[in-house]
Amino acid sequence: MSDTGGRSSTLRVFSLFGYKGSGKTSIARAITRLIPGCKRMSYADRPMNAICSMFDCNRTQLDSTEFRLGEAYPGVSFDHALKTLRHNWGNDIIGVDVWTSLAAKEAARNNADNIVFDDGMYPESELVKMHAFLTKWNERYEKIVFHPIRIHRPDLDDTAHRDSETTLNRMTFHHNFFNRGVSLKGVGKDVATFFKFKMKLEDFQ
């Protein structure tokens, strides 16, 4: 990346979209390993950190499908707590853009020239709003470029997902990765090939 007057020329934002369980987090990790200084972020970072603070747990515990929010709430899953905090409180009461704006503010504060979001949900509106918020708070970059990427996992049942995810099949993405649920190593090789030949990996060095 060139530097002009203390400002990096370009901020690249990779936003991964796909059904829950499609492998977004695994592919985000592969991207951060491949691109020097790339930072992995989530739109849900703030609400997840809030839940950890409220229920005295950590992010590693939240990754477990068996995790429950303590003895006082044995039937409450992390997924339910996150959904109600994000949507019932955040979107419905505070404002529909609250989590996107907070994620953009955090991204603008980073020194990373490449960021990957591992939990995109609404491709069209989310990217437009994120670009607007990043432009508002940006003090460093001359240009902000978004790369929406779709993660497919053919063995997932299309009917078993959130309403927001049904829009994915109507959207156009810069690239599509196919996770066939066999080998994460194979998906990692696909990611490496994509960045080497289509994204010109040397530009990220």
Side-chain angles (χ1 to χ4, degrees):
M1 288 292 177
S2 63
D3 188 271
T4 307
R7 289 164 61 92
S8 295
S9 59
T10 303
L11 168 64
R12 287 188 174 92
V13 180
F14 300 92
S15 200
L16 308 186
F17 298 88
Y19 294 145
K20 182 178 180 181
S22 59
K24 297 188 294 294
T25 298
S26 296
I27 289 179
R29 287 172 177 158
I31 292 173
T32 57
R33 286 194 296 268
L34 192 65
I35 301 176
C38 183
K39 180 176 177 61
R40 180 168 67 93
M41 298 181 65
S42 299
Y43 290 102
D45 275 340
R46 294 294 183 96
M48 284 194 288
N49 289 339
I51 289 173
C52 287
S53 178
M54 287 188 290
F55 294 97
D56 194 27
C57 56
N58 57 57
R59 293 284 290 267
T60 301
Q61 289 174 298
L62 298 187
D63 287 337
S64 170
T65 57
E66 303 300 320
F67 180 71
R68 295 295 181 270
L69 299 177
E71 295 179 2
Y73 309 95
V76 180
S77 68
F78 159 65
D79 226 30
H80 177 72
L82 180 62
K83 183 177 180 180
T84 52
L85 182 62
R86 289 185 75 176
H87 298 285
N88 299 62
W89 180 80
N91 293 351
D92 296 344
I93 297 176
I94 303 303
V96 68
D97 298 330
V98 61
W99 304 119
T100 304
S101 66
L102 289 172
K105 183 175 285 188
E106 182 67 24
R109 290 173 178 167
N110 273 284
N111 292 322
D113 291 336
N114 302 284
I115 293 173
V116 54
F117 281 95
D118 63 8
D119 61 344
M121 292 179 66
Y122 304 91
E124 192 170 40
S125 61
E126 202 167 76
L127 294 176
V128 170
K129 292 173 183 176
M130 174 61 77
H131 191 279
F133 286 125
L134 273 174
T135 302
K136 175 181 177 180
W137 287 308
N138 169 46
E139 297 179 351
R140 206 175 151 233
Y141 303 100
E142 295 178 346
K143 185 168 63 172
I144 301 171
V145 179
F146 281 85
H147 300 279
I149 297 174
R150 172 75 189 273
I151 315 300
H152 299 268
R153 183 164 175 175
D155 60 320
L156 291 176
D157 179 3
D158 286 359
T159 65
H161 306 289
R162 303 182 181 98
D163 291 340
S164 63
E165 294 175 329
T166 62
T167 64
L168 294 177
N169 293 330
R170 301 199 299 267
M171 301 301 301
T172 300
F173 296 88
H174 285 190
H175 190 71
N176 294 270
F177 288 119
F178 289 86
N179 175 11
R180 306 195 183 278
V182 177
S183 169
L184 287 177
K185 184 177 181 180
V187 175
K189 289 177 66 176
D190 291 343
V191 172
T193 299
F194 168 69
F195 276 95
K196 182 176 181 180
F197 295 105
K198 292 192 176 182
M199 292 295 297
K200 296 183 179 180
L201 184 60
E202 63 270 16
D203 291 346
F204 294 85
Q205 307 301 322

